[in-house]
Amino acid sequence: MRTKTLPKMRGLYTIICLVFLIAGFAKSQTRKIIDVHFHTRSAGDYGTTPPPNPASGRLPHASSNEEIYSSNLVLLKKYNIVKAICSGTIARNTDFITNDPVRFLSSLEFPDHQNNPLPDTLTFKKMAIEKKFIAFGELGLQYEGKTLADPEYAPYLAICEQLGIPVLLHTGEAAPNTPYMPCCPRFRINSGRPLHIEPVLIKYPKLKVMLMHMGFPFLEETKAVLNVYPQVSVDISVIDWAVPTQEFYDYLKALIVAGFEKRIMYGSDQMIWEDAIELSVKKVEKAPFLSKKQKDDIFYNNAAKFFGIK
């Protein structure tokens, strides 16, 4: 009797396990996500033959602006990314927003891939008032060897503080060999240290700032800034797919343990590699030290509060 029922029990156990796995997968797909670091790249921004994803080795498939938009939209829908803060030129952001005005929100990137100069301050303020952008960034000033404290950015920061426009700043590192690339001979690691933002926070105490890439790898500086300046938050972009999993987990956990779970936001830093979104979402979902509430906060709640998304 026992030998006959054992296979049936095993079969039943297998079915139950599959049900729970499927239910867990479905649950992860219904979790609402805001991607606070999403790039609206154009065909050719990375050359005629774009490089493979440095983490997965997979080549991008989209080769035209239309294909780039369509392939990204499929991924955003698949992972229930209901809002994406578009970092790019206003023109390219508009391409995305025109097709899906509910999902996409514009953020003014500088420097951008088209080498556009910053608009003058009067134009900048007019654009902000007219909601041409809801955030200022990604600001990749580090690639120019500059910091947000450089005097030339002061008038723009004053406008952002006045109008409640969040500033999204690249911090930390970049790809290997960045200073030797034709684009970025002035890039310096030191320019991306989180502490360089302190003079700005002193001068503009109501300015909301997001440190992109969690200030990685400058953990202690990042914790110090977050502790002293409550108007600062971080996103987990790139680190959530481009560095080894355990290193990402250790860094993220350190900020959680330090008490900053309400100021950490999900970002993919999706550029041209379609799998960046998939890799980054799954890394957060699988993080063994995060509770369901913490995942909900990172994926949606913290960003909704920071950007005023209803």
Side-chain angles (χ1 to χ4, degrees), residues 155-216:
Y156 298 94
L157 299 179
I159 293 169
C160 287
E161 184 187 40
Q162 178 189 4
L163 299 179
I165 302 293
V167 171
L168 318 181
L169 180 67
H170 176 98
T171 59
E173 298 180 335
N177 296 311
T178 294
Y180 309 122
M181 297 177 182
C183 66
C184 317
R186 293 185 291 275
F187 177 91
R188 296 295 181 269
I189 294 172
N190 183 63
S191 297
R193 300 186 75 105
L195 275 180
H196 284 306
I197 200 174
E198 187 166 34
V200 170
L201 299 172
I202 295 295
K203 188 173 182 180
Y204 307 104
K206 296 181 180 179
L207 183 68
K208 295 171 67 174
V209 179
M210 184 178 83
L211 300 179
M212 291 176 155
H213 321 306
M214 291 194 290
F216 180 87

Side-chain angles (χ1 to χ4, degrees), residues 85-88 107-110 135-139 166-169 212:
I85 311 297
C86 297
S87 178
S107 183
L108 180 61
E109 182 178 22
F110 181 80
F136 185 30
E138 181 177 6
L139 298 182
V167 171
L168 318 181
L169 180 67
M212 291 176 155

Side-chain angles (χ1 to χ4, degrees), residues 255-305:
L255 293 183
I256 294 287
V257 170
F260 303 121
E261 61 187 35
K262 297 295 186 181
R263 291 156 68 188
I264 303 170
M265 298 177 277
Y266 167 78
S268 66
D269 203 356
Q270 163 65 321
M271 291 170 272
I272 54 170
W273 303 297
E274 291 91 351
D275 55 343
I277 291 175
E278 177 183 10
L279 292 170
S280 56
V281 169
K282 288 183 176 180
K283 280 247 184 108
V284 177
E285 288 283 12
K286 293 179 181 178
F289 54 90
L290 292 176
S291 67
K292 177 188 179 299
K293 182 63 168 64
Q294 288 168 332
K295 290 176 184 178
D296 287 341
D297 286 342
I298 291 170
F299 275 131
Y300 186 88
N301 297 331
N302 295 342
K305 181 178 179 181

Side-chain angles (χ1 to χ4, degrees), residues 15 22 30 32 52 58 62 101 142 146 257 273 292 297:
I15 292 171
I22 293 169
T30 57
K32 290 197 301 184
R58 291 169 61 181
Q142 184 179 7
K146 298 179 179 180
V257 170
W273 303 297
K292 177 188 179 299
D297 286 342

